[in-house]
Amino acid sequence: NIAQGASVTISGAGSLDIAGNIQKTGSFDAVDGTVRMVGTTGAQAIPANTFATNYIKNLTINNASGVVLSGVLNLTGILNPAAGTFTTGNQLTLKSNVATTAVIAPVTGTVSGEMTIERYVPARRAYRFISSSIDATVTGTIRSNWQENGVDAPGWGTDITGAGAEDNGFDASGSNNPSLFTHNHNNSTSGTWTAVGSTKTRLLAGVAYRLMVRGDRTVDQHLNASPASVTTLRAHGTIKTGNVSVAGLNTAVGGFTLVGNPYQAAVNMQTALAASAGLNKQFYYVWDPTLNTRGAYATVNVDNNTNTSGSAATRLAQPNQAFFVRTVAGAAPALTFTESQKDVTSVQTQSVYRNAANNASLKFMLYDAQQTNTLDGFVIDFNENFNNAIDDSDALKPVNQDENIGLMNDGKVYSYESRNLPVASEVLPISHTQYRGTEYLYKVQATGLTAVSAYLLDKHTNTKTLLANGQETSIAFSVNSSVATSSVANRFDVVFETTLGTDENAFANGIQVYPNPITANQFFVALPTAIEGNVTLKMANLLGQEVYAATVTATGSAILVQPSKTLQSGVYLLSISNGKETTTKKLIVK
């Protein structure tokens, strides 16, 4: 009972348990803290206008007899339906703004009735991978929800364009080009984007879309130069609760499936993927619209909670977010979201999975010359328990619309590769494609490299830059599309040399052999300019049987070695001598 002229305010982490009826003529301010309905002698009600401005932060329903909402209420924090039935009266809105989005904790009670879910979208003309967390009302469609039923309301909804314009529920534009897509994997490794044919179809939870968000519905779609604006998408209907199994996963090994988060809460993808079948359990793929000019993919490693691209993406897939998962060999693919996978905490405790003393990594980030945009990135994770072959600990790179960088292995590009600890003379080729500018900058963070030093080799300028261990190294470079070696995809390699101060001599330090592993019965030996005259190359298997021998002249350029006989898979030793000094390099043939 709050009398006229009296007030109750909940602040900070404060909470107030209410076991009976609410009667008030004074003020009840719950825009912060938590209200818990904990009655034990019968159902409770939350009358209309109970809370000041009809806003509340956190609301817990823990009454086996149920709680009924009898008026409009806006919730900004966590709705926790712990016990009993919470009857919304179709008057609850879960708010979203630049700072926060309201979520629903694991539902151990019941939620009855409809509610409105909001999703704030910052001002940037870019695609979003998005899904709904509610099943719209029976008559609710994409148009009546995300398009505000065609009403141009400032700050709300967005224009969705497509063929047939208004006849198919779309908004008219100068070209009527489609802006809403689904992903049709066709049980293949890549799949295709398919334009949605109409927005007059029902909006359903967990259905994944790629949506171009240009801003709210007041943005002029007849002008491509129209500035973007912030907007909030909203949808009205019933929330998804309980187990949600994903249908139609890609059955092709290596194939991608676009999946939508069906819950109004973050989902711990480490937990979800661990319980899946036939899917890669270590990685999922997020489209981050803040990267590059138009957005870029970030590969998230759910085990160590990192990503490849400097994105804010973590192992927690956000409410209303869609993302890619990848099929692997083995069992038929299956993925089920459960209430226990929800995560509504603000602080995550990271698990330790590997011995840090045996870990090393290289993290590459690509920027434009002004460093205004993160364009793309990839990660190489080294550990003595990993191998250099492609397996489920390696993440194939999705292709961006703009610049793409990744690590090449066996003819494919990877955004995250887990490898054994690097050894001297090992060479890792980088793929860099779709150059759109002329001036770029790599930033490379090297961690844990002790036995060897890593260098970035620019084969166009014939320069090597030390990637200093424990530091971030910046390497600026230019691209000229009219010069093939400048804009070629394989311009850069990561090369490893023995760290100075070890027993390896200076002669050995300057020699590079690549690629390693060998996949095409040929490789290069790069000799430093300090080596002159004739150099003898001898290659033998581990039984001591010589498989190649030649004498070459050091010219300062890489020497192509092409054995006449096909090299069988295995480990070989390459002896390199200038008559005074000799070094031996280990080569792997795949």
Side-chain angles (χ1 to χ4, degrees):
N1 296 313
I2 304 175
Q4 186 173 3
S7 66
V8 172
T9 299
I10 306 174
S11 60
S15 64
L16 178 65
D17 288 3
I18 301 176
N21 296 323
I22 299 172
Q23 299 181 29
K24 60 171 282 286
T25 53
S27 172
F28 192 175
D29 186 341
V31 296
D32 207 352
T34 301
V35 172
R36 303 197 307 169
M37 307 298 290
V38 295
T40 58
T41 59
Q44 292 175 278
I46 302 176
N49 302 315
T50 291
F51 304 107
T53 68
N54 289 324
Y55 269 76
I56 188 173
K57 185 176 182 182
N58 303 320
L59 175 63
T60 295
I61 307 298
N62 195 12
N63 181 342
S65 298
V67 176
V68 177
L69 178 63
S70 300
V72 171
L73 185 62
N74 298 287
L75 186 140
T76 62
I78 302 171
L79 173 64
N80 183 7
T85 298
F86 178 40
T87 303
T88 67
N90 305 341
Q91 299 185 93
L92 179 67
T93 296
L94 269 58
K95 303 294 290 183
S96 179
N97 57 40
V98 66
T100 185
T101 293
V103 297
I104 300 175
V107 179
T108 51
T110 305
V111 178
S112 175
E114 300 164 1
M115 65 180 72
T116 299
I117 303 293
E118 295 182 357
R119 163 49 62 190
Y120 175 89
V121 182
R124 181 159 187 170
R125 186 186 179 96
Y127 279 108
R128 269 73 176 186
F129 287 13
I130 191 169
S131 69
S132 173
S133 57
I134 59 100
D135 288 333
T137 58
V138 175
T139 59
T141 62
I142 297 172
R143 178 175 176 79
S144 65
N145 287 281
W146 290 345
Q147 291 172 268
E148 294 290 317
N149 208 29
V151 176
D152 290 345
W156 297 103
T158 192
D159 285 351
I160 301 178
T161 55
E166 292 92 338
D167 291 341
N168 292 322
F170 296 115
D171 298 291
S173 69
S175 63
N176 286 338
N177 285 334
S179 64
L180 182 66
F181 300 82
T182 57
H183 188 262
N184 185 357
H185 55 66
N186 300 315
N187 288 327
S188 64
T189 54
S190 57
T192 56
W193 291 106
T194 303
V196 170
S198 171
T199 60
K200 294 180 179 179
T201 56
R202 191 179 178 194
L203 184 64
L204 296 174
V207 177
Y209 296 98
R210 182 181 73 159
L211 171 63
M212 170 60 75
V213 180
R214 303 156 171 124
D216 68 19
R217 292 189 51 80
T218 66
V219 174
D220 188 352
Q221 302 308 326
H222 292 82
L223 298 174
N224 287 332
S226 297
S229 64
V230 299
T231 190
T232 300
L233 305 181
R234 52 187 173 184
H236 187 81
T238 56
I239 62 167
K240 211 71 168 174
T241 62
N243 292 356
V244 180
S245 295
V246 179
L249 290 168
N250 195 339
T251 59
V253 175
F256 293 91
T257 305
L258 186 66
V259 174
N261 179 358
Y263 297 136
Q264 186 59 29
V267 168
N268 188 320
M269 290 301 296
Q270 183 184 37
T271 306
L273 290 173
S276 70
L279 297 178
N280 188 295
K281 298 180 186 296
Q282 188 172 355
F283 303 103
Y284 78 110
Y285 304 83
V286 171
W287 177 262
D288 188 335
T290 68
L291 300 176
N292 211 316
T293 302
R294 297 180 291 178
Y297 287 101
T299 302
V300 179
N301 184 330
V302 299
D303 285 351
N304 59 26
N305 205 26
T306 62
N307 69 77
T308 56
S309 306
S311 167
T314 69
R315 65 165 66 104
L316 300 182
Q318 297 302 300
N320 311 120
Q321 185 176 24
F323 45 84
F324 277 108
V325 295
R326 189 163 182 256
T327 302
V328 296
L335 176 64
T336 298
F337 294 107
T338 66
E339 293 283 345
S340 63
Q341 295 165 2
K342 289 181 177 179
D343 193 314
V344 296
T345 61
S346 57
V347 179
Q348 300 302 312
T349 301
Q350 305 304 329
S351 299
V352 178
Y353 289 89
R354 304 186 183 97
N355 183 352
N358 294 324
N359 275 359
S361 66
L362 289 172
K363 185 171 185 178
F364 275 74
M365 302 297 296
L366 176 67
Y367 296 86
D368 55 22
Q370 293 73 36
Q371 302 184 51
T372 54
N373 283 318
T374 304
L375 304 183
D376 202 10
F378 69 91
V379 172
I380 314 170
D381 197 9
F382 301 100
N383 185 280
E384 60 190 358
N385 297 316
F386 295 151
N387 63 70
N388 293 345
I390 297 302
D391 56 25
D392 291 347
S393 294
D394 306 307
L396 192 68
K397 177 176 176 54
V399 179
N400 297 323
Q401 294 173 292
D402 302 318
E403 285 85 354
N404 289 272
I405 61 171
L407 192 68
M408 287 290 298
N409 192 334
D410 200 20
K412 295 182 179 179
V413 184
Y414 292 83
S415 56
Y416 201 110
E417 187 169 1
S418 300
R419 300 179 61 85
N420 207 320
L421 295 173
V423 296
S425 300
E426 189 171 355
V427 178
L428 304 180
I430 294 173
S431 172
H432 188 148
T433 58
Q434 296 179 194
Y435 296 99
R436 295 183 307 121
T438 58
E439 302 294 332
Y440 291 97
L441 182 75
Y442 279 136
K443 288 189 176 182
V444 186
Q445 181 70 49
T447 305
L449 295 174
T450 54
V452 294
S453 295
Y455 293 82
L456 182 68
L457 172 63
D458 185 340
K459 290 176 285 188
H460 169 61
T461 61
N462 196 29
T463 58
K464 288 192 303 182
T465 303
L466 174 67
L467 306 177
N469 186 46
Q471 300 179 29
E472 182 180 79
T473 303
S474 296
I475 305 103
F477 63 98
S478 301
V479 173
N480 185 341
S481 59
S482 63
V483 179
T485 57
S486 170
S487 57
V488 69
N490 62 347
R491 172 175 168 174
F492 295 97
D493 291 333
V494 178
V495 297
F496 295 94
E497 299 179 3
T498 302
T499 301
L500 296 178
T502 67
D503 294 335
E504 198 59 61
N505 58 41
F507 174 76
N509 281 340
I511 298 174
Q512 302 297 325
V513 181
Y514 62 92
N516 190 12
I518 300 168
T519 59
N521 212 66
Q522 64 180 31
F523 57 92
F524 291 89
V525 177
L527 303 172
T529 55
I531 298 178
E532 299 177 345
N534 292 334
V535 175
T536 300
L537 307 176
K538 292 183 180 181
M539 186 175 182
N541 60 26
L542 293 183
L543 298 176
Q545 298 168 327
E546 189 173 278
V547 296
Y548 174 82
T551 298
V552 298
T553 301
T555 62
S557 300
I559 299 167
L560 175 63
V561 176
Q562 294 178 301
S564 58
K565 295 181 180 180
T566 301
L567 299 174
Q568 302 300 311
S569 298
V571 178
Y572 295 80
L573 298 177
L574 177 66
S575 174
I576 306 169
S577 175
N578 66 352
K580 298 179 181 180
E581 298 175 285
T582 301
T583 186
T584 301
K585 305 293 185 180
K586 183 175 72 174
L587 291 175
I588 299 172
V589 176
K590 296 183 66 175

